[in-house]
Amino acid sequence: MTFRSRHILVLVLCSLFLTSVKAQNNPYVDDKLFHFGFSLGMNFMSFGVTDSEELLYSTVTGQKEIYHARVSSMLPGFSVGFVSDLRMTRHFNLRFCPALSFSQRTLTYKTESGNPVQSQSGKYKEKIDILSIPIAVPLYVKWSAEREKNFRPYLIGGAGVEFNVYRDSERPVMLKSFDFFVEVGFGCDFYFEWFKWCPQITYKIGFADILTHVDENIYLTPDEAFYTAALRKLTSRMLCITFNFE
């Protein structure tokens, strides 16, 4: 982002803020039984990692050791979704917000002694990149505080299922397609003349084991098998910063 574009972004955000602190905008928007919108966001995906603690022989290193894996890098990803909202009471809303996300995580492997995985051929490294493109189908309950002029903070929580539409069989670690999760977070509604802008932060915890194990992955070569065999279980984690426009 250039210096000039940063200034333009700051000016736009300041103008939106100044607009929101004027006289009350959209005074009856929260009285609608249904309303809809869309969401754009940035996510940071991670894993809950459980090691197998098994002695594994690698044809790459020629040694039999215990390998440990940890998430060493979480590149920011992008999310886009659809918002549908049902007003239940003055303070409670039921929300259905399917979303598509793109993100990448990196697993770094080390031996029990702390040494990185060494490659004789140079083809395999101690870091494995895992790309995910999940479609989340959640149902939320939103509790909103009383509105103060053009601001209304809220808490949100819910659960849902997730389908990973990207599975790369050429990678040493492959994820399963299905997961289920809970998600909690908070945000604030900002009221403008024609719409609501609702930034929120949520944290998602998956409960299913999404690792495709060695006996389930027919594409693994002997050189690749220990990357998966070193893991007993992988569960999903995701922090998401979302901007809803409703």
Side-chain angles (χ1 to χ4, degrees):
M1 183 179 289
T2 65
F3 181 78
R4 183 175 180 179
S5 61
R6 287 198 192 105
H7 274 261
I8 293 173
L9 178 60
V10 170
L11 288 174
V12 170
L13 292 176
C14 288
S15 64
L16 288 174
F17 177 79
L18 290 174
T19 303
S20 68
V21 298
K22 292 182 179 180
Q24 192 175 68
N25 297 317
N26 263 331
Y28 306 110
V29 65
D30 290 332
D31 295 333
K32 295 180 180 179
L33 181 61
F34 290 101
H35 73 262
F36 303 94
F38 67 93
S39 65
L40 300 172
M42 181 172 62
N43 65 69
F44 298 88
M45 291 187 184
S46 184
F47 286 122
V49 181
T50 304
D51 296 322
S52 67
E53 301 289 343
E54 296 181 11
L55 281 170
L56 302 170
Y57 177 79
S58 169
T59 58
V60 175
T61 64
Q63 299 177 356
K64 198 170 185 179
E65 298 184 75
I66 294 177
Y67 294 88
H68 298 286
R70 293 294 179 265
V71 178
S72 60
S73 175
M74 298 181 295
L75 295 179
F78 177 73
S79 300
V80 59
F82 176 76
V83 177
S84 55
D85 185 285
L86 169 65
R87 182 180 187 273
M88 295 190 296
T89 68
R90 180 182 178 87
H91 294 283
F92 286 93
N93 294 65
L94 188 66
R95 294 166 67 85
F96 176 64
C97 305
L100 174 67
S101 300
F102 304 83
S103 193
Q104 179 176 298
R105 292 157 280 191
T106 301
L107 283 176
T108 297
Y109 288 77
K110 292 187 177 181
T111 64
E112 192 172 40
S113 57
N115 298 318
V117 176
Q118 300 295 323
S119 170
Q120 294 175 348
S121 64
K123 183 177 180 181
Y124 300 109
K125 300 180 180 180
E126 70 272 12
K127 294 185 178 181
I128 303 297
D129 295 328
I130 302 175
L131 176 65
S132 297
I133 307 179
I135 297 176
V137 186
L139 192 64
Y140 301 114
V141 173
K142 176 183 176 182
W143 175 84
S144 302
E146 286 293 336
R147 177 174 173 174
E148 293 292 337
K149 292 186 178 180
N150 291 318
F151 306 93
R152 194 179 190 189
Y154 64 84
L155 300 175
I156 191 167
V161 295
E162 193 169 76
F163 304 93
N164 183 19
V165 298
Y166 180 85
R167 302 183 74 206
D168 189 351
S169 60
E170 295 184 358
R171 294 179 183 267
V173 176
M174 188 165 65
L175 304 182
K176 294 180 179 178
S177 300
F178 177 79
D179 193 12
F180 59 95
F181 63 86
V182 296
E183 190 169 5
V184 295
F186 62 92
C188 187
D189 293 339
F190 293 87
Y191 296 80
F192 298 93
E193 187 174 356
W194 301 108
F195 66 94
K196 286 197 305 182
W197 178 54
C198 317
Q200 69 179 30
I201 298 176
T202 56
Y203 188 67
K204 180 189 297 182
I205 302 174
F207 291 99
D209 181 8
I210 57 175
L211 174 67
T212 301
H213 294 270
V214 174
D215 57 350
E216 301 171 315
N217 191 348
I218 62 175
Y219 302 101
L220 287 177
T221 67
D223 285 347
E224 298 171 330
F226 80 95
Y227 288 106
T228 295
L231 304 170
R232 177 175 298 170
K233 184 179 181 181
L234 286 179
T235 54
S236 64
R237 303 284 188 271
M238 184 170 77
L239 176 69
C240 196
I241 303 171
T242 306
F243 302 97
N244 297 323
F245 298 84
E246 306 175 22

